Amino acid sequence: MNDIKERQARLQQLVADILQEAKAQGASAAEAGVSSDAGLSLNVRMGEPETIEHTRDSGLGVTVYFGQRKGSANTSDLSPEAVRETVRAACNFARYTSEDDCSGLADADLMATDLPDLDLYHPWDQSVDEAIELAQTCEAAARDQDSRIVNSEGAGVDSHAGLHVYGNSHGFISGYPSSRHSMSCAVVGQDGDSMQRDYWYSQSRRHEDLETPEMVGRIAAERTVSRLGARRIATGEAPVLFQADVAVGLLRSFLGAIRGSALYRKASFLLDHLDQRVFPEFVRIHEMPYLPRGLGSAAFDSEGVATREQDFVSDGILRGYLLDSYAARKMDMQSTGNAGGVHNLRTTSGSLDRQGLLKKMGRGLLVTELMGQGVNTVTGDYSRGAAGFWVEGGEIQYPVEEITIAGNLKEMMLGLQEIGCDVETRTSVQTGSWLIDHMMIAGQ
Amino acid sequence: MSDLIQIAHETLLAPTGLGESDLDRMLGELVGGGIDAADIYFQSSRLESWMLEDGIIKEGSHSIEQGAGIRAISGEKTGFAYSDELHLTPLIDAARAARAITRSGGAGTVKVAGLTPVRQLYQPINPLISLTESEKVELLRRVDAEARKQDSRVKQVMVSLVGAHDVMMVAATDGTLSADVRPLVRLNVHVIVEQGERREQGSSGGGARESFQFLLDEERALGFAREAVRQALVNLEAVDAPAGTMPVVLGPGWPGVLLHEAVGHGLEGDFNRKGTSAFSGRIGEKVASSSCTVVDDGTLPGRRGSLSVDDEGTESQNTVLIEDGVLKGYLQDKHNARLMGVESTGNGRRESYAHLPLPRMTNTYMLPGSYDPQEIIASVDKGLYAVNFGGGQVDITSGRFVFSASEAYLIENGKVTTPVKGATLIGNGPEAMLQISMVGNDLALDQGVGVCGKEGQSVPVGVGQPTLRIDELTVGGTGV
């Protein structure tokens, strides 16, 4: 632990040096971020180690301001010469960019002053052999689960720990160590001509919080086998239940539409929707940056602005946008502490679990996988490849694939009937399954 | 020593005093004791990007990445470590970490030799200095002005200009010593248009392994501006796309992303060695209609997806994947080729020194057929004509693929009529390829903006195809 404190102090000093160098080269303001991370990433396939990667990444990024003009540069080389050259490159760029009224550091009075320890650093002291054994256990659980599991893409263990420090010429310099561990498994099932793959993973700040390797392997196998014999369904409209892990994608699409950069560019279907109804009344979407060990926890954003608990949606009404200081100035508003994104987002969740949601839907499509990038943030038009299960009488009937689902996000959001209690917790954006009243399904 | 190796030496080794004997020493750490093959990949990459928005030059940034990745292979096992410090001690440490996949220590000697100079598909230039900063800024402003003067409904224009200068050298225990200097430039234009309450977007762009001059030649950059606006204005008129299965005609060029998703990924050697691809074990079988011949060609001079040598030092090739509908071959890197008992096809690629090489595509396209494109459109009573696409994705095991149209039209009674909103098309690779009934005589390659992602690694690629007709494909619209 002392070691990490020392390393953090060194990186903080490096950031201070970078800011000093920028000032020496004539910048009126500057900001810099430095990170350093090391880890192990390995994969086991068919019982044998396949790849063992030792990762060690560092990088620094600096942005300098000459009045209202800015320039940026970054490098993976933290040597003093490289730092000087990088600052010089950033300063050189600032000679050619334009005066921009909105550019500059975030306002000084927004800088974070309360910097609690969010308990994000839990390095995993394991040997390569121990990690291999875990992955082997995980893959074996998947392969032994069902005789239709005929092949494997393997099971992996990833473990990374490192430091991030940010500082700017307001005098703000702060950093924190963090860790992230995950275990994953992907297997291939076959039944007659039908071959399918699926996967599962677990992720957390602390390795003790990961699901057991047996559980990860078993779920991967169950998901794979359940897809065998998938068929297409007829084209038509139906209600759609997005399983929690894919519902997270819908929530991210919503976030993309309330992001400042999309709004000031008039590139969002939620332009001018502040204080308007965008979801049914039961929906609340809120940010909780201070959760201990949270995957998205942070006391300050990537401009040093204090993060805050806030509602983006309450009672179904859009209450706020997702703004960094640049977008905020463009829109004559104030930064919401979201430079770089959100920090732990949660939605309301109802009382229904998956069974309850299927029952409520009655007849419709349960979507467990989405493919492709068919989401248009400008218009809200949504059209993506999908796979999942056809549901009748509240019961799963058979797996389906090679279909698309389409609609418009604005209508889909208003048509949200229920959010399940089966919350996806492996990501920093968290929600339960979403039941949408109707979408167009294209199939046979 | 060839010129390229000379340049690589000066860029990668000389600054820290590394020499040939150090290379031999590092490789010496990597032989013997059950290691079948090993390599060291040195890289220095400089990237520059500029962005214009709201009529002003909003951002300019510069990035330097350099380091070396060391890989050791024993059977199907790969050990990998890298260092961003090009000094002997950290590199030896990385070599020992990589070779720890075998228990026994290394003992051996390797002498690498620069082979005959490779055929160069692009000049070993630094594109970043091919225009002055003022000229780059001026280029962005001209593109912005060109887009805005097309139509008063243009409300927002974003232009980005990116250049990269990448120097690599690879030394391997099989004696390989190879180097490459890879220039890459790209310009993208994105516009938002507004008419009443309705807003739509359009985008275009292009690039090559050339200097920035490429974007000025033939007013290419201005052409991208005009094209982005044209697309956005078409989208202002678009109605809901139909939903369901119907004949689909794909235009020439960029729609070749179909082949990248439906065919290319499924033919990469790693998936086929492991037997996880829908194409596994099917060489010699008919997997597409007999009008289809598909190649992956890394040898096209100057193109974005081209490589003089791949990231393992193997010369790139023109590899026939499907010939007259019959599956001919896979795309191989050295590792998968060795395990499958074949030769590398020069498709071993990596995003950077900090990533492991994988079998990847270069420029993937279909050879032209005999039909006049107009004849192909005229053959459809009711269907979709799709000419521009966003990205795609494939599940190589089931063969299912998607790609999303960004510009499409209805075909009614043999004529292209109303524009329709972007829709995702979905199909199954081998099935869709068998449904290709007409192939046009108008082969075109894309403009040079493609990026392919696999296992978290991005590499530049190209695609292409002539106009072609697929008899049945599912179109994911909302209309009837």
Side-chain angles (χ1 to χ4, degrees):
Chain A
M1 208 63 189
N2 279 334
D3 176 52
I4 195 79
K5 288 239 157 70
E6 269 173 45
R7 282 172 51 212
Q8 180 173 337
R10 274 206 302 278
L11 288 192
Q12 297 203 170
Q13 186 56 50
L14 176 62
V15 168
D17 293 346
I18 294 167
L19 297 174
Q20 186 57 41
E21 178 67 28
K23 197 174 172 191
Q25 292 193 27
S28 51
E31 56 189 325
V34 177
S35 55
S36 162
D37 171 293
L40 175 68
S41 177
L42 62 81
N43 192 57
V44 159
R45 179 172 175 270
M46 305 305 267
E48 294 294 327
E50 186 178 44
T51 55
I52 300 167
E53 299 185 45
H54 301 271
T55 69
R56 184 172 289 277
D57 298 294
S58 53
L60 83 85
V62 57
T63 298
V64 297
Y65 300 89
F66 285 71
Q68 299 302 115
R69 289 177 291 114
K70 79 169 185 178
S72 308
N74 55 73
T75 179
S76 60
D77 186 349
L78 303 187
S79 68
E81 313 87 78
V83 167
R84 257 195 308 280
E85 196 194 333
T86 302
V87 172
R88 194 154 42 234
C91 292
N92 183 46
F93 275 73
R95 292 167 55 200
Y96 297 97
T97 54
S98 312
E99 295 280 337
D100 183 345
D101 292 345
C102 299
S103 93
L105 300 178
D107 298 345
D109 59 354
L110 298 178
M111 294 298 113
T113 50
D114 183 23
L115 300 165
D117 179 358
L118 298 173
D119 196 21
L120 306 178
Y121 182 64
H122 295 274
W124 190 353
D125 182 23
Q126 60 171 346
S127 69
V128 170
D129 285 343
E130 286 164 344
I132 287 173
E133 208 179 306
L134 268 183
Q136 282 169 330
T137 306
C138 180
E139 193 200 29
R143 292 176 65 204
D144 294 345
Q145 172 76 11
D146 193 297
S147 61
R148 288 167 293 177
I149 300 294
V150 296
N151 202 342
S152 170
E153 288 185 2
V157 170
D158 277 80
S159 172
H160 300 274
L163 278 161
H164 176 72
V165 170
Y166 168 84
N168 63 37
S169 52
H170 289 321
F172 179 90
I173 294 187
S174 185
Y176 54 90
S178 67
S179 58
R180 187 175 285 238
H181 316 291
S182 66
M183 190 178 345
S184 62
C185 183
V187 286
V188 175
Q190 189 162 19
D191 195 2
D193 281 345
S194 172
M195 190 157 83
Q196 299 283 351
R197 83 176 268 287
D198 213 327
Y199 71 101
W200 193 246
Y201 74 97
S202 178
Q203 175 167 253
S204 67
R205 294 281 185 193
R206 201 164 59 168
H207 76 90
E208 294 91 333
D209 296 337
L210 291 174
E211 282 172 357
T212 65
E214 291 85 356
M215 174 79 92
V216 171
R218 195 160 67 233
I219 298 174
E222 282 168 4
R223 281 167 55 99
T224 301
V225 168
S226 71
R227 296 169 71 137
L228 289 168
R231 44 181 135 147
R232 301 174 68 198
I233 47 175
T235 300
E237 283 194 17
V240 175
L241 177 61
F242 289 79
Q243 186 170 285
D245 54 340
V246 290
V248 165
L250 290 179
L251 188 53
R252 287 191 193 280
S253 297
F254 162 73
L255 294 175
I258 62 164
R259 188 160 292 145
S261 57
L263 293 163
Y264 79 72
R265 289 169 181 153
K266 296 194 171 200
S268 165
F269 66 94
L270 291 179
L271 187 65
D272 302 327
H273 277 59
L274 208 54
D275 300 323
Q276 291 183 29
R277 173 163 302 289
V278 292
F279 280 100
E281 202 170 349
F282 71 89
V283 177
R284 177 179 177 217
I285 300 177
H286 57 289
E287 186 180 16
M288 298 182 294
Y290 299 99
L291 295 179
R293 297 183 298 285
L295 288 165
S297 295
F300 56 91
D301 74 359
S302 61
E303 297 180 306
V305 174
T307 55
R308 56 191 199 190
E309 299 242 351
Q310 57 190 334
D311 282 352
F312 293 108
V313 172
S314 62
D315 304 324
I317 308 288
L318 182 61
R319 305 290 181 187
Y321 295 140
L322 206 62
L323 304 176
D324 60 12
S325 66
Y326 184 82
R329 287 182 195 123
K330 277 272 194 196
M331 297 167 70
D332 223 358
M333 299 176 86
Q334 221 175 35
S335 169
T336 56
N338 291 110
V342 289
H343 314 91
N344 301 321
L345 201 79
R346 283 293 281 271
T347 66
T348 24
S349 45
S351 58
L352 297 179
D353 62 5
R354 174 149 139 171
Q355 282 311 317
L357 290 164
L358 288 174
K359 206 163 190 148
K360 175 156 182 173
M361 178 166 73
R363 178 180 179 279
L365 180 69
L366 167 63
V367 171
T368 56
E369 185 193 58
L370 290 167
M371 288 180 82
Q373 293 93 37
V375 184
N376 184 332
T377 304
V378 178
T379 59
D381 290 331
Y382 185 96
S383 168
R384 300 188 71 188
F389 300 87
W390 184 246
V391 176
E392 296 210 18
E395 304 275 341
I396 285 176
Q397 303 296 307
Y398 49 83
V400 296
E401 66 174 2
E402 212 182 312
I403 56 167
T404 61
I405 53 171
N408 185 281
L409 280 169
K410 208 163 146 181
E411 289 161 25
M412 288 160 64
M413 284 157 46
L414 286 169
L416 179 60
Q417 306 276 293
E418 192 80 41
I419 299 179
C421 61
D422 53 343
V423 177
E424 165 65 68
T425 58
R426 300 171 297 176
T427 46
S428 60
V429 171
Q430 306 189 343
T431 189
S433 296
W434 285 23
L435 177 59
I436 307 275
D437 59 352
H438 75 280
M439 290 186 72
M440 190 67 178
I441 300 167
Q444 276 167 329
Chain B
M1 223 187 277
S2 79
D3 290 352
L4 288 173
I5 288 180
Q6 183 71 40
I7 294 173
H9 240 273
E10 283 163 17
T11 309
L12 299 164
L13 305 185
T16 51
L18 290 172
E20 291 270 317
S21 60
D22 296 315
L23 278 187
D24 295 341
R25 182 166 161 214
M26 284 178 239
L27 287 171
E29 291 282 341
L30 291 164
V31 292
I35 301 288
D36 298 324
D39 60 10
I40 308 173
Y41 181 88
F42 295 89
Q43 184 185 25
S44 169
S45 175
R46 282 167 193 252
L47 190 115
E48 182 181 300
S49 68
W50 295 87
M51 210 259 278
L52 174 146
E53 180 181 289
D54 280 338
I56 63 171
I57 309 298
K58 195 179 138 184
E59 284 176 20
S61 72
H62 185 263
S63 113
I64 306 172
E65 298 256 348
Q66 65 174 36
I70 302 188
R71 170 175 69 151
I73 297 171
S74 171
E76 298 195 17
K77 263 188 282 190
T78 301
F80 181 59
Y82 53 87
S83 166
D84 48 24
E85 289 175 70
L86 295 176
H87 292 280
L88 190 60
T89 309
L91 291 173
I92 295 280
D93 286 349
R96 287 179 183 153
R99 72 153 302 135
I101 46 165
T102 60
R103 295 288 170 252
S104 35
T109 51
V110 179
K111 190 77 196 147
V112 293
L115 302 176
T116 42
V118 296
R119 153 221 58 185
Q120 290 180 29
L121 301 173
Y122 29 83
Q123 294 303 308
I125 53 165
N126 176 0
L128 308 187
I129 55 169
S130 62
L131 289 183
T132 64
E133 318 309 13
S134 304
E135 286 167 332
K136 292 168 196 166
V137 165
E138 174 61 21
L139 169 61
L140 291 177
R141 292 192 191 283
R142 282 176 58 206
V143 171
D144 178 54
E146 185 72 12
R148 289 183 188 274
K149 85 174 192 206
Q150 298 304 306
D151 197 289
S152 61
R153 289 169 289 180
V154 173
K155 295 299 172 198
Q156 179 63 268
V157 179
M158 280 160 275
V159 190
S160 71
L161 177 70
V162 181
H165 178 221
D166 195 6
V167 180
M168 75 79 148
M169 177 162 75
V170 59
T173 51
D174 63 6
T176 300
L177 178 64
S178 188
D180 200 7
V181 176
R182 298 167 178 167
L184 192 63
V185 298
R186 186 175 76 170
L187 183 135
N188 284 79
V189 189
H190 188 86
V191 303
I192 306 274
V193 296
E194 197 175 74
Q195 179 173 286
E197 287 292 289
R198 189 163 175 181
R199 278 181 297 274
E200 293 283 349
Q201 60 188 338
S203 55
S204 180
R209 293 203 179 279
E210 302 252 6
S211 75
F212 282 125
Q213 186 63 37
F214 173 82
L215 299 167
L216 299 173
D217 290 346
E218 301 165 32
E219 294 200 337
R220 277 194 185 91
L222 301 186
F224 301 145
R226 293 190 285 266
E227 172 60 16
V229 174
R230 187 196 63 75
Q231 269 182 41
L233 294 178
V234 166
N235 283 330
L236 275 181
E237 309 298 324
V239 301
D240 288 343
T245 300
M246 63 196 72
V248 173
V249 176
L250 299 177
W254 183 243
V257 68
L258 162 81
L259 305 169
H260 180 98
E261 303 297 352
V263 176
H265 277 297
L267 297 180
E268 288 165 343
D270 45 355
F271 302 128
N272 288 284
R273 168 173 68 81
K274 298 171 188 173
T276 57
S277 163
F279 288 102
S280 295
R282 297 184 65 180
I283 286 195
E285 285 183 30
K286 192 166 167 61
V287 296
S289 79
S290 48
S291 46
C292 297
T293 294
V294 180
V295 302
D296 181 83
D297 187 355
T299 72
L300 302 170
R303 292 209 65 93
R304 181 172 166 84
S306 297
L307 292 172
S308 299
V309 292
D310 73 3
D311 293 326
E312 298 180 305
T314 309
E315 274 205 18
S316 63
Q317 296 179 17
N318 181 0
T319 306
V320 178
L321 301 175
I322 294 173
E323 187 170 31
D324 301 331
V326 176
L327 182 59
K328 286 290 173 186
Y330 300 130
L331 296 171
Q332 299 287 4
D333 62 351
K334 282 184 181 177
H335 176 50
N336 288 286
R338 182 170 45 247
L339 292 171
M340 291 179 81
V342 295
E343 294 291 313
S344 167
T345 55
N347 290 87
R349 304 185 63 186
R350 61 203 299 171
E351 181 179 306
S352 78
Y353 67 88
H355 298 85
L356 275 169
L358 296 169
R360 304 293 295 263
M361 287 174 261
T362 58
N363 304 295
T364 313
Y365 58 93
M366 182 183 288
L367 300 190
S370 56
Y371 287 96
D372 181 316
Q374 289 310 316
E375 204 179 339
I376 298 177
I377 292 165
S379 74
V380 176
D381 276 342
K382 190 168 182 297
L384 190 80
Y385 178 51
V387 293
N388 271 302
F389 284 87
Q393 190 184 338
V394 64
D395 173 334
I396 47 112
T397 302
S398 68
R400 276 176 295 122
F401 68 91
V402 296
F403 57 136
S404 300
S406 55
E407 181 186 357
Y409 303 82
L410 294 178
I411 305 178
E412 295 168 296
N413 302 317
K415 292 200 166 56
V416 174
T417 60
T418 320
V420 294
K421 288 183 179 178
T424 288
L425 311 188
I426 189 165
N428 179 289
E431 286 168 22
M433 294 302 292
L434 285 163
Q435 296 276 345
I436 295 176
S437 58
M438 300 169 93
V439 176
N441 56 15
D442 56 341
L443 169 63
L445 299 175
D446 74 288
Q447 306 265 25
V449 293
V451 177
C452 169
K454 174 177 173 182
E455 295 182 22
Q457 295 193 41
S458 296
V459 296
V461 293
V463 296
Q465 68 175 31
T467 297
L468 54 84
R469 173 182 158 143
I470 303 175
D471 287 343
E472 264 197 12
L473 201 60
T474 300
V475 178
T478 52
V480 281

